[in-house]
Amino acid sequence: MIQTDSDSSRRVAYFYNRFIGKFQYGKEHPMKPKRIIMAHNLIVNYGLFRQMDVYLIREAQLQEIRKFHDPDYIIYLSQFMSQNKINFVKEYCSANNESVIPENLLEEFKLIIKWSQQQKIKTENSEFKVGDSPDNPTFSGLFSYCQLSSGASIDCAHSILTGQADIAINWSGGLHHAKKKEASGFCYINDIVLCILELLRVYVRVLYVDIDCHHGDGVEEAFYLTNRVMTLSFHQYGDDFYPGTGQLNSVGVGVGRYYSVNVPMKPGMSDEPYIEMFKKITSRVMQVYRPDCIVMQCGADSLSLDKLGGFNLSIKGHGACVQYMKSFGTPMILLGGGGYTISNVSRCWAYETGIALGQQIDQAIPSNDIYYDYYSPDYLLHFPIKQNVENRNKTEDLNKIVATVYDYLSYIEN
Ligand code: ZLV
Ligand code: CA
Ligand code: ZN
């Protein structure tokens, strides 16, 4: 392991719970929560966990999720909690025997029952169509999965706000497409919005940076009208690539005008032009916006060979963006996101955990890893990117995007 920078004294808080990796969207579904366990195992086997504060992820409570999401939508989703909790609820409803239910669960159930009575919600005949689209299936424990993913992102915010950490990491977060009362793009509860709202209780300005191959539409929409959060998304755009938003001229509305920044690109982006774009834009954003905290969504579907994304980044290229944001010395939260070639996702997030710690991890995958076979045939950290991929972005087009973004940023009052 090589020390890569002098500021490795920065404290890193890492949030994990192996239950997250046990949920399944479905056999054919590209989103595989198991990649979180795989990333964690690399992090452990590379010895990184010894250098960070490791915290067990807890489930976010209904009241916390309520800070962004619609209460009817939350009740609707809560029907997909784990079976043993459902049994508790049934028991509570029939016997109302409060003594058998743990205190924290009791509060939750009282709230579910209160809200559903108030709103007379009939979950079976609801406006919320979760499960109707194959993108967002319902599955066993769905709600618990959402509670864990968002509980961790909220606690990342707390660890930064209390000064316990300079960098906080939740690889099970980053579900950037979820809306106030709508699931979309594999996302149900927007852990990022909940995290940022928590930061806004103390901080004046929060910068959100999104390097997932898809546009961070849910986070952008949540803060489209405010200047207290600047959202910045780099993404593939065009030819019906999901979700179809994030045009260059989507800049925000009202006081939020120019606080929404979009960098839409065509497929084929490789390290050199991507990093150049990334640095040119984030350096100006940092200079103009001077955020108190950075929340970075590190979706790994921008890597080469991803099953959904069309970019051609290496892990080093992806990680260079994380390294660059770290170099400003601003408190930072790193979240996961997309990533559908799962052995590369775990490689990438283990490498970036190393970056947070100022450690460059070895090229050889630790041979005691239980998922070792996933890293065949080379068993190396850095995989070879796809060759002969055409970058469909012309240099002049990319330069135009940078010039336009600079122009928008020039309207921001300093
Ligand atoms: O990485 O999906 O294109 C963060 C993230 O950003 C669509 N969905 C929707 C809109 C109409 N379509 C088709 C629905 C397809 C449903 C099943 C797949 C199944 C197998 C393989 C690929 C897909 C798929 N779905 C590919 N792209 C989609 C997108 C959603 C992408 C979400 C990205 C989430 C976690
Ligand atoms: Ca993005
Ligand atoms: Zn994505």
mmCIF file of all heavy atoms in Angstrom, residues 25 28-31 35 133-136 173-177 184-187 210 212-217 240-243 297 299-301 306-308 336-340, ligand 1:
data_model
loop_
_atom_site.group_PDB
_atom_site.id
_atom_site.type_symbol
_atom_site.label_atom_id
_atom_site.label_comp_id
_atom_site.label_asym_id
_atom_site.label_seq_id
_atom_site.Cartn_x
_atom_site.Cartn_y
_atom_site.Cartn_z
ATOM 1 N N TYR A 25 -33.484 -7.288 -6.412
ATOM 2 C CA TYR A 25 -34.478 -6.658 -7.287
ATOM 3 C C TYR A 25 -35.134 -7.704 -8.189
ATOM 4 O O TYR A 25 -36.210 -7.458 -8.728
ATOM 5 C CB TYR A 25 -33.807 -5.618 -8.179
ATOM 6 C CG TYR A 25 -33.498 -4.279 -7.539
ATOM 7 C CD1 TYR A 25 -32.538 -4.144 -6.543
ATOM 8 C CD2 TYR A 25 -34.145 -3.115 -7.992
ATOM 9 C CE1 TYR A 25 -32.244 -2.902 -6.003
ATOM 10 C CE2 TYR A 25 -33.850 -1.871 -7.454
ATOM 11 C CZ TYR A 25 -32.895 -1.764 -6.462
ATOM 12 O OH TYR A 25 -32.606 -0.530 -5.939
ATOM 13 N N GLU A 28 -33.289 -11.089 -13.215
ATOM 14 C CA GLU A 28 -32.917 -10.463 -14.495
ATOM 15 C C GLU A 28 -32.592 -8.976 -14.354
ATOM 16 O O GLU A 28 -32.210 -8.338 -15.324
ATOM 17 C CB GLU A 28 -34.077 -10.615 -15.498
ATOM 18 C CG GLU A 28 -34.535 -12.048 -15.725
ATOM 19 C CD GLU A 28 -33.435 -12.911 -16.346
ATOM 20 O OE1 GLU A 28 -32.763 -12.431 -17.279
ATOM 21 O OE2 GLU A 28 -33.246 -14.056 -15.878
ATOM 22 N N HIS A 29 -32.823 -8.448 -13.165
ATOM 23 C CA HIS A 29 -32.658 -6.999 -12.999
ATOM 24 C C HIS A 29 -31.179 -6.632 -12.910
ATOM 25 O O HIS A 29 -30.410 -7.296 -12.202
ATOM 26 C CB HIS A 29 -33.390 -6.533 -11.735
ATOM 27 C CG HIS A 29 -33.649 -5.061 -11.715
ATOM 28 N ND1 HIS A 29 -32.648 -4.152 -11.474
ATOM 29 C CD2 HIS A 29 -34.776 -4.342 -11.940
ATOM 30 C CE1 HIS A 29 -33.164 -2.931 -11.536
ATOM 31 N NE2 HIS A 29 -34.459 -3.018 -11.815
ATOM 32 N N PRO A 30 -30.766 -5.558 -13.615
ATOM 33 C CA PRO A 30 -29.327 -5.213 -13.610
ATOM 34 C C PRO A 30 -28.794 -4.727 -12.255
ATOM 35 O O PRO A 30 -27.593 -4.851 -11.991
ATOM 36 C CB PRO A 30 -29.210 -4.109 -14.663
ATOM 37 C CG PRO A 30 -30.605 -3.627 -14.932
ATOM 38 C CD PRO A 30 -31.539 -4.733 -14.563
ATOM 39 N N MET A 31 -29.674 -4.182 -11.398
ATOM 40 C CA MET A 31 -29.184 -3.664 -10.109
ATOM 41 C C MET A 31 -28.964 -4.819 -9.138
ATOM 42 O O MET A 31 -29.903 -5.540 -8.807
ATOM 43 C CB MET A 31 -30.194 -2.662 -9.533
ATOM 44 C CG MET A 31 -29.792 -2.103 -8.166
ATOM 45 S SD MET A 31 -28.198 -1.267 -8.196
ATOM 46 C CE MET A 31 -28.730 0.433 -8.128
ATOM 47 N N ARG A 35 -23.141 -6.241 -4.931
ATOM 48 C CA ARG A 35 -21.890 -5.503 -5.219
ATOM 49 C C ARG A 35 -21.410 -4.713 -3.997
ATOM 50 O O ARG A 35 -20.216 -4.431 -3.865
ATOM 51 C CB ARG A 35 -22.082 -4.594 -6.451
ATOM 52 C CG ARG A 35 -23.050 -3.463 -6.200
ATOM 53 C CD ARG A 35 -23.857 -2.987 -7.399
ATOM 54 N NE ARG A 35 -24.798 -2.009 -6.856
ATOM 55 C CZ ARG A 35 -24.764 -0.708 -7.107
ATOM 56 N NH1 ARG A 35 -23.935 -0.222 -8.004
ATOM 57 N NH2 ARG A 35 -25.594 0.112 -6.501
ATOM 58 N N SER A 133 -43.505 -0.878 -13.253
ATOM 59 C CA SER A 133 -42.432 -0.822 -14.241
ATOM 60 C C SER A 133 -41.339 -1.812 -13.845
ATOM 61 O O SER A 133 -41.000 -1.917 -12.662
ATOM 62 C CB SER A 133 -41.853 0.601 -14.284
ATOM 63 O OG SER A 133 -40.463 0.541 -14.519
ATOM 64 N N PRO A 134 -40.787 -2.522 -14.811
ATOM 65 C CA PRO A 134 -39.705 -3.464 -14.470
ATOM 66 C C PRO A 134 -38.468 -2.765 -13.900
ATOM 67 O O PRO A 134 -37.650 -3.414 -13.252
ATOM 68 C CB PRO A 134 -39.392 -4.151 -15.799
ATOM 69 C CG PRO A 134 -40.075 -3.376 -16.866
ATOM 70 C CD PRO A 134 -41.140 -2.553 -16.242
ATOM 71 N N ASP A 135 -38.336 -1.465 -14.118
ATOM 72 C CA ASP A 135 -37.218 -0.723 -13.511
ATOM 73 C C ASP A 135 -37.304 -0.745 -11.988
ATOM 74 O O ASP A 135 -36.285 -0.803 -11.303
ATOM 75 C CB ASP A 135 -37.244 0.754 -13.963
ATOM 76 C CG ASP A 135 -36.495 0.978 -15.269
ATOM 77 O OD1 ASP A 135 -35.806 0.052 -15.720
ATOM 78 O OD2 ASP A 135 -36.632 2.089 -15.820
ATOM 79 N N ASN A 136 -38.515 -0.595 -11.457
ATOM 80 C CA ASN A 136 -38.726 -0.524 -10.014
ATOM 81 C C ASN A 136 -39.669 -1.614 -9.530
ATOM 82 O O ASN A 136 -40.823 -1.348 -9.206
ATOM 83 C CB ASN A 136 -39.264 0.867 -9.627
ATOM 84 C CG ASN A 136 -38.192 1.922 -9.759
ATOM 85 O OD1 ASN A 136 -37.875 2.381 -10.854
ATOM 86 N ND2 ASN A 136 -37.578 2.283 -8.650
ATOM 87 N N GLY A 173 -25.631 4.073 -0.877
ATOM 88 C CA GLY A 173 -26.484 5.223 -1.194
ATOM 89 C C GLY A 173 -26.289 5.680 -2.636
ATOM 90 O O GLY A 173 -25.773 4.942 -3.474
ATOM 91 N N GLY A 174 -26.726 6.914 -2.890
ATOM 92 C CA GLY A 174 -26.555 7.485 -4.230
ATOM 93 C C GLY A 174 -27.712 7.209 -5.173
ATOM 94 O O GLY A 174 -27.547 7.250 -6.385
ATOM 95 N N LEU A 175 -28.917 6.977 -4.601
ATOM 96 C CA LEU A 175 -30.072 6.607 -5.440
ATOM 97 C C LEU A 175 -30.779 7.876 -5.943
ATOM 98 O O LEU A 175 -31.845 8.267 -5.471
ATOM 99 C CB LEU A 175 -30.969 5.645 -4.660
ATOM 100 C CG LEU A 175 -30.152 4.395 -4.215
ATOM 101 C CD1 LEU A 175 -30.978 3.455 -3.362
ATOM 102 C CD2 LEU A 175 -29.559 3.656 -5.423
ATOM 103 N N HIS A 176 -30.161 8.464 -6.935
ATOM 104 C CA HIS A 176 -30.438 9.847 -7.347
ATOM 105 C C HIS A 176 -31.714 10.083 -8.169
ATOM 106 O O HIS A 176 -32.040 11.224 -8.429
ATOM 107 C CB HIS A 176 -29.230 10.429 -8.100
ATOM 108 C CG HIS A 176 -28.833 9.690 -9.335
ATOM 109 N ND1 HIS A 176 -27.790 10.117 -10.145
ATOM 110 C CD2 HIS A 176 -29.303 8.556 -9.904
ATOM 111 C CE1 HIS A 176 -27.656 9.263 -11.148
ATOM 112 N NE2 HIS A 176 -28.535 8.320 -11.026
ATOM 113 N N HIS A 177 -32.407 9.008 -8.605
ATOM 114 C CA HIS A 177 -33.607 9.231 -9.434
ATOM 115 C C HIS A 177 -34.912 9.330 -8.636
ATOM 116 O O HIS A 177 -35.929 9.741 -9.200
ATOM 117 C CB HIS A 177 -33.777 8.104 -10.460
ATOM 118 C CG HIS A 177 -32.660 7.996 -11.446
ATOM 119 N ND1 HIS A 177 -32.261 9.050 -12.240
ATOM 120 C CD2 HIS A 177 -31.839 6.947 -11.762
ATOM 121 C CE1 HIS A 177 -31.254 8.647 -13.015
ATOM 122 N NE2 HIS A 177 -30.967 7.386 -12.738
ATOM 123 N N SER A 184 -38.304 5.776 -9.444
ATOM 124 C CA SER A 184 -37.911 5.644 -10.851
ATOM 125 C C SER A 184 -36.449 5.236 -10.954
ATOM 126 O O SER A 184 -35.670 5.442 -10.011
ATOM 127 C CB SER A 184 -38.174 6.942 -11.628
ATOM 128 O OG SER A 184 -37.280 7.939 -11.252
ATOM 129 N N GLY A 185 -36.089 4.666 -12.076
ATOM 130 C CA GLY A 185 -34.698 4.300 -12.349
ATOM 131 C C GLY A 185 -34.026 3.534 -11.215
ATOM 132 O O GLY A 185 -32.935 3.916 -10.767
ATOM 133 N N PHE A 186 -34.643 2.471 -10.745
ATOM 134 C CA PHE A 186 -34.102 1.588 -9.698
ATOM 135 C C PHE A 186 -34.069 2.251 -8.308
ATOM 136 O O PHE A 186 -33.540 1.680 -7.357
ATOM 137 C CB PHE A 186 -32.675 1.066 -10.018
ATOM 138 C CG PHE A 186 -32.423 0.626 -11.431
ATOM 139 C CD1 PHE A 186 -31.120 0.489 -11.926
ATOM 140 C CD2 PHE A 186 -33.475 0.318 -12.295
ATOM 141 C CE1 PHE A 186 -30.878 0.064 -13.241
ATOM 142 C CE2 PHE A 186 -33.242 -0.110 -13.607
ATOM 143 C CZ PHE A 186 -31.936 -0.219 -14.085
ATOM 144 N N CYS A 187 -34.587 3.478 -8.182
ATOM 145 C CA CYS A 187 -34.510 4.230 -6.920
ATOM 146 C C CYS A 187 -35.921 4.462 -6.368
ATOM 147 O O CYS A 187 -36.837 4.773 -7.125
ATOM 148 C CB CYS A 187 -33.838 5.583 -7.141
ATOM 149 S SG CYS A 187 -32.253 5.516 -8.020
ATOM 150 N N ASP A 210 -22.184 14.664 -9.340
ATOM 151 C CA ASP A 210 -22.742 13.360 -9.727
ATOM 152 C C ASP A 210 -22.007 12.839 -10.965
ATOM 153 O O ASP A 210 -22.164 13.368 -12.065
ATOM 154 C CB ASP A 210 -24.236 13.595 -10.002
ATOM 155 C CG ASP A 210 -25.017 12.350 -10.349
ATOM 156 O OD1 ASP A 210 -24.494 11.500 -11.082
ATOM 157 O OD2 ASP A 210 -26.178 12.256 -9.906
ATOM 158 N N ASP A 212 -22.221 9.547 -11.884
ATOM 159 C CA ASP A 212 -22.971 8.412 -12.442
ATOM 160 C C ASP A 212 -23.212 8.722 -13.923
ATOM 161 O O ASP A 212 -23.364 9.873 -14.302
ATOM 162 C CB ASP A 212 -24.311 8.313 -11.697
ATOM 163 C CG ASP A 212 -25.110 7.074 -12.012
ATOM 164 O OD1 ASP A 212 -25.647 6.963 -13.145
ATOM 165 O OD2 ASP A 212 -25.225 6.217 -11.111
ATOM 166 N N CYS A 213 -23.271 7.674 -14.747
ATOM 167 C CA CYS A 213 -23.467 7.880 -16.183
ATOM 168 C C CYS A 213 -24.844 8.469 -16.509
ATOM 169 O O CYS A 213 -25.059 9.010 -17.585
ATOM 170 C CB CYS A 213 -23.279 6.533 -16.880
ATOM 171 S SG CYS A 213 -23.097 6.693 -18.635
ATOM 172 N N HIS A 214 -25.788 8.336 -15.568
ATOM 173 C CA HIS A 214 -27.125 8.880 -15.773
ATOM 174 C C HIS A 214 -27.258 10.262 -15.117
ATOM 175 O O HIS A 214 -26.523 10.588 -14.184
ATOM 176 C CB HIS A 214 -28.176 7.935 -15.182
ATOM 177 C CG HIS A 214 -28.191 6.570 -15.824
ATOM 178 N ND1 HIS A 214 -27.443 5.518 -15.332
ATOM 179 C CD2 HIS A 214 -28.849 6.107 -16.922
ATOM 180 C CE1 HIS A 214 -27.646 4.442 -16.103
ATOM 181 N NE2 HIS A 214 -28.492 4.771 -17.069
ATOM 182 N N HIS A 215 -28.220 11.026 -15.613
ATOM 183 C CA HIS A 215 -28.469 12.359 -15.030
ATOM 184 C C HIS A 215 -29.064 12.230 -13.625
ATOM 185 O O HIS A 215 -29.974 11.427 -13.411
ATOM 186 C CB HIS A 215 -29.434 13.134 -15.935
ATOM 187 C CG HIS A 215 -29.826 14.456 -15.366
ATOM 188 N ND1 HIS A 215 -31.141 14.872 -15.251
ATOM 189 C CD2 HIS A 215 -29.068 15.457 -14.845
ATOM 190 C CE1 HIS A 215 -31.172 16.072 -14.708
ATOM 191 N NE2 HIS A 215 -29.929 16.458 -14.450
ATOM 192 N N GLY A 216 -28.573 13.040 -12.685
ATOM 193 C CA GLY A 216 -29.077 13.027 -11.315
ATOM 194 C C GLY A 216 -30.356 13.830 -11.191
ATOM 195 O O GLY A 216 -30.427 14.821 -10.456
ATOM 196 N N ASP A 217 -31.413 13.374 -11.865
ATOM 197 C CA ASP A 217 -32.642 14.186 -11.980
ATOM 198 C C ASP A 217 -33.390 14.414 -10.665
ATOM 199 O O ASP A 217 -33.897 15.505 -10.427
ATOM 200 C CB ASP A 217 -33.585 13.591 -13.049
ATOM 201 C CG ASP A 217 -33.983 12.144 -12.770
ATOM 202 O OD1 ASP A 217 -33.412 11.535 -11.844
ATOM 203 O OD2 ASP A 217 -34.881 11.627 -13.472
ATOM 204 N N ASP A 240 -32.268 8.689 -26.543
ATOM 205 C CA ASP A 240 -33.179 8.095 -25.565
ATOM 206 C C ASP A 240 -32.482 7.505 -24.354
ATOM 207 O O ASP A 240 -33.048 6.653 -23.657
ATOM 208 C CB ASP A 240 -34.071 7.005 -26.209
ATOM 209 C CG ASP A 240 -35.123 7.612 -27.124
ATOM 210 O OD1 ASP A 240 -35.547 8.751 -26.849
ATOM 211 O OD2 ASP A 240 -35.500 6.946 -28.111
ATOM 212 N N PHE A 241 -31.260 7.917 -24.103
ATOM 213 C CA PHE A 241 -30.586 7.406 -22.896
ATOM 214 C C PHE A 241 -31.331 7.920 -21.666
ATOM 215 O O PHE A 241 -31.698 9.094 -21.601
ATOM 216 C CB PHE A 241 -29.109 7.840 -22.870
ATOM 217 C CG PHE A 241 -28.309 7.122 -21.820
ATOM 218 C CD1 PHE A 241 -27.988 5.776 -21.975
ATOM 219 C CD2 PHE A 241 -27.903 7.777 -20.663
ATOM 220 C CE1 PHE A 241 -27.271 5.097 -20.991
ATOM 221 C CE2 PHE A 241 -27.190 7.105 -19.680
ATOM 222 C CZ PHE A 241 -26.869 5.768 -19.845
ATOM 223 N N TYR A 242 -31.545 7.039 -20.704
ATOM 224 C CA TYR A 242 -32.333 7.339 -19.513
ATOM 225 C C TYR A 242 -31.658 8.431 -18.663
ATOM 226 O O TYR A 242 -30.439 8.417 -18.540
ATOM 227 C CB TYR A 242 -32.481 6.052 -18.688
ATOM 228 C CG TYR A 242 -33.405 6.201 -17.514
ATOM 229 C CD1 TYR A 242 -34.774 6.043 -17.664
ATOM 230 C CD2 TYR A 242 -32.900 6.521 -16.263
ATOM 231 C CE1 TYR A 242 -35.627 6.198 -16.582
ATOM 232 C CE2 TYR A 242 -33.742 6.678 -15.185
ATOM 233 C CZ TYR A 242 -35.101 6.514 -15.358
ATOM 234 O OH TYR A 242 -35.936 6.678 -14.287
ATOM 235 N N PRO A 243 -32.342 9.355 -17.984
ATOM 236 C CA PRO A 243 -33.795 9.570 -18.036
ATOM 237 C C PRO A 243 -34.213 10.591 -19.086
ATOM 238 O O PRO A 243 -35.406 10.882 -19.199
ATOM 239 C CB PRO A 243 -34.100 10.102 -16.626
ATOM 240 C CG PRO A 243 -32.852 10.834 -16.226
ATOM 241 C CD PRO A 243 -31.704 10.141 -16.926
ATOM 242 N N GLN A 297 -21.810 11.785 -5.674
ATOM 243 C CA GLN A 297 -22.410 10.511 -6.075
ATOM 244 C C GLN A 297 -21.432 9.878 -7.059
ATOM 245 O O GLN A 297 -21.150 10.439 -8.114
ATOM 246 C CB GLN A 297 -23.778 10.775 -6.715
ATOM 247 C CG GLN A 297 -24.723 9.579 -6.804
ATOM 248 C CD GLN A 297 -24.579 8.799 -8.104
ATOM 249 O OE1 GLN A 297 -23.577 8.917 -8.798
ATOM 250 N NE2 GLN A 297 -25.584 8.017 -8.434
ATOM 251 N N GLY A 299 -21.475 7.000 -8.858
ATOM 252 C CA GLY A 299 -22.017 5.924 -9.700
ATOM 253 C C GLY A 299 -20.929 5.358 -10.609
ATOM 254 O O GLY A 299 -20.226 6.104 -11.292
ATOM 255 N N ALA A 300 -20.803 4.018 -10.604
ATOM 256 C CA ALA A 300 -19.698 3.376 -11.326
ATOM 257 C C ALA A 300 -20.137 2.853 -12.692
ATOM 258 O O ALA A 300 -19.405 2.089 -13.326
ATOM 259 C CB ALA A 300 -19.110 2.252 -10.471
ATOM 260 N N ASP A 301 -21.324 3.286 -13.150
ATOM 261 C CA ASP A 301 -21.739 2.892 -14.499
ATOM 262 C C ASP A 301 -21.133 3.795 -15.565
ATOM 263 O O ASP A 301 -21.386 3.621 -16.753
ATOM 264 C CB ASP A 301 -23.279 2.852 -14.615
ATOM 265 C CG ASP A 301 -23.935 4.098 -14.078
ATOM 266 O OD1 ASP A 301 -23.225 5.050 -13.705
ATOM 267 O OD2 ASP A 301 -25.193 4.129 -14.030
ATOM 268 N N ASP A 306 -19.359 -1.162 -18.631
ATOM 269 C CA ASP A 306 -20.596 -1.242 -17.845
ATOM 270 C C ASP A 306 -21.728 -1.777 -18.726
ATOM 271 O O ASP A 306 -21.758 -1.521 -19.932
ATOM 272 C CB ASP A 306 -20.977 0.129 -17.280
ATOM 273 C CG ASP A 306 -22.151 0.015 -16.325
ATOM 274 O OD1 ASP A 306 -21.925 -0.387 -15.167
ATOM 275 O OD2 ASP A 306 -23.302 0.276 -16.747
ATOM 276 N N LYS A 307 -22.662 -2.485 -18.097
ATOM 277 C CA LYS A 307 -23.753 -3.093 -18.866
ATOM 278 C C LYS A 307 -24.774 -2.059 -19.334
ATOM 279 O O LYS A 307 -25.478 -2.293 -20.308
ATOM 280 C CB LYS A 307 -24.458 -4.172 -18.038
ATOM 281 C CG LYS A 307 -23.573 -5.397 -17.837
ATOM 282 C CD LYS A 307 -24.332 -6.565 -17.221
ATOM 283 C CE LYS A 307 -23.425 -7.786 -17.133
ATOM 284 N NZ LYS A 307 -23.438 -8.386 -15.796
ATOM 285 N N LEU A 308 -24.888 -0.937 -18.655
ATOM 286 C CA LEU A 308 -25.859 0.080 -19.065
ATOM 287 C C LEU A 308 -25.222 1.353 -19.617
ATOM 288 O O LEU A 308 -25.720 1.938 -20.565
ATOM 289 C CB LEU A 308 -26.796 0.467 -17.906
ATOM 290 C CG LEU A 308 -27.640 -0.616 -17.238
ATOM 291 C CD1 LEU A 308 -28.720 0.001 -16.378
ATOM 292 C CD2 LEU A 308 -28.264 -1.559 -18.250
ATOM 293 N N GLY A 336 -22.532 5.847 -3.307
ATOM 294 C CA GLY A 336 -22.499 4.957 -4.465
ATOM 295 C C GLY A 336 -23.466 5.441 -5.528
ATOM 296 O O GLY A 336 -23.599 6.632 -5.751
ATOM 297 N N GLY A 337 -24.167 4.498 -6.161
ATOM 298 C CA GLY A 337 -25.094 4.835 -7.241
ATOM 299 C C GLY A 337 -25.158 3.669 -8.200
ATOM 300 O O GLY A 337 -25.129 2.507 -7.781
ATOM 301 N N GLY A 338 -25.187 3.974 -9.503
ATOM 302 C CA GLY A 338 -25.249 2.920 -10.507
ATOM 303 C C GLY A 338 -23.942 2.146 -10.592
ATOM 304 O O GLY A 338 -22.957 2.457 -9.908
ATOM 305 N N GLY A 339 -23.942 1.159 -11.495
ATOM 306 C CA GLY A 339 -22.767 0.301 -11.647
ATOM 307 C C GLY A 339 -23.257 -1.117 -11.839
ATOM 308 O O GLY A 339 -23.788 -1.702 -10.903
ATOM 309 N N TYR A 340 -23.128 -1.645 -13.066
ATOM 310 C CA TYR A 340 -23.833 -2.875 -13.424
ATOM 311 C C TYR A 340 -22.923 -4.007 -13.891
ATOM 312 O O TYR A 340 -23.392 -5.093 -14.186
ATOM 313 C CB TYR A 340 -24.937 -2.537 -14.434
ATOM 314 C CG TYR A 340 -25.812 -1.444 -13.852
ATOM 315 C CD1 TYR A 340 -25.637 -0.106 -14.209
ATOM 316 C CD2 TYR A 340 -26.720 -1.745 -12.840
ATOM 317 C CE1 TYR A 340 -26.369 0.900 -13.602
ATOM 318 C CE2 TYR A 340 -27.461 -0.747 -12.230
ATOM 319 C CZ TYR A 340 -27.281 0.578 -12.609
ATOM 320 O OH TYR A 340 -27.993 1.568 -11.997
HETATM 321 O O1 ZLV B 1 -27.662 4.069 -12.355
HETATM 322 O O2 ZLV B 1 -34.659 -2.316 -17.156
HETATM 323 O O3 ZLV B 1 -34.781 3.111 -19.802
HETATM 324 C C1 ZLV B 1 -28.719 4.979 -10.413
HETATM 325 C C2 ZLV B 1 -28.782 4.781 -11.929
HETATM 326 O O4 ZLV B 1 -28.681 6.060 -12.477
HETATM 327 C C3 ZLV B 1 -35.454 2.872 -18.813
HETATM 328 N N1 ZLV B 1 -34.901 2.588 -17.640
HETATM 329 C C4 ZLV B 1 -36.952 2.824 -18.876
HETATM 330 C C5 ZLV B 1 -37.682 3.989 -19.347
HETATM 331 C C6 ZLV B 1 -38.434 3.029 -20.236
HETATM 332 N N2 ZLV B 1 -37.414 2.108 -20.000
HETATM 333 C C7 ZLV B 1 -37.465 0.695 -20.096
HETATM 334 C C8 ZLV B 1 -37.774 -0.083 -18.891
HETATM 335 C C9 ZLV B 1 -36.839 -1.235 -18.774
HETATM 336 C C10 ZLV B 1 -36.991 -1.929 -17.488
HETATM 337 C C11 ZLV B 1 -35.924 -2.881 -17.131
HETATM 338 C C12 ZLV B 1 -33.599 -2.991 -17.628
HETATM 339 C C13 ZLV B 1 -33.592 -4.386 -17.617
HETATM 340 C C14 ZLV B 1 -32.509 -5.054 -18.127
HETATM 341 C C15 ZLV B 1 -31.471 -4.340 -18.618
HETATM 342 C C16 ZLV B 1 -31.469 -2.967 -18.626
HETATM 343 C C17 ZLV B 1 -32.541 -2.279 -18.114
HETATM 344 C C18 ZLV B 1 -32.522 -0.827 -18.119
HETATM 345 N N3 ZLV B 1 -33.371 0.068 -17.568
HETATM 346 C C19 ZLV B 1 -31.553 -0.069 -18.702
HETATM 347 N N4 ZLV B 1 -31.810 1.237 -18.524
HETATM 348 C C20 ZLV B 1 -32.915 1.288 -17.825
HETATM 349 C C21 ZLV B 1 -33.506 2.574 -17.402
HETATM 350 C C22 ZLV B 1 -33.239 2.904 -15.948
HETATM 351 C C23 ZLV B 1 -31.812 3.192 -15.653
HETATM 352 C C24 ZLV B 1 -31.632 3.499 -14.188
HETATM 353 C C25 ZLV B 1 -30.228 3.908 -13.834
HETATM 354 C C26 ZLV B 1 -30.062 4.063 -12.345
HETATM 355 C C27 ZLV B 1 -28.831 3.769 -9.581
#
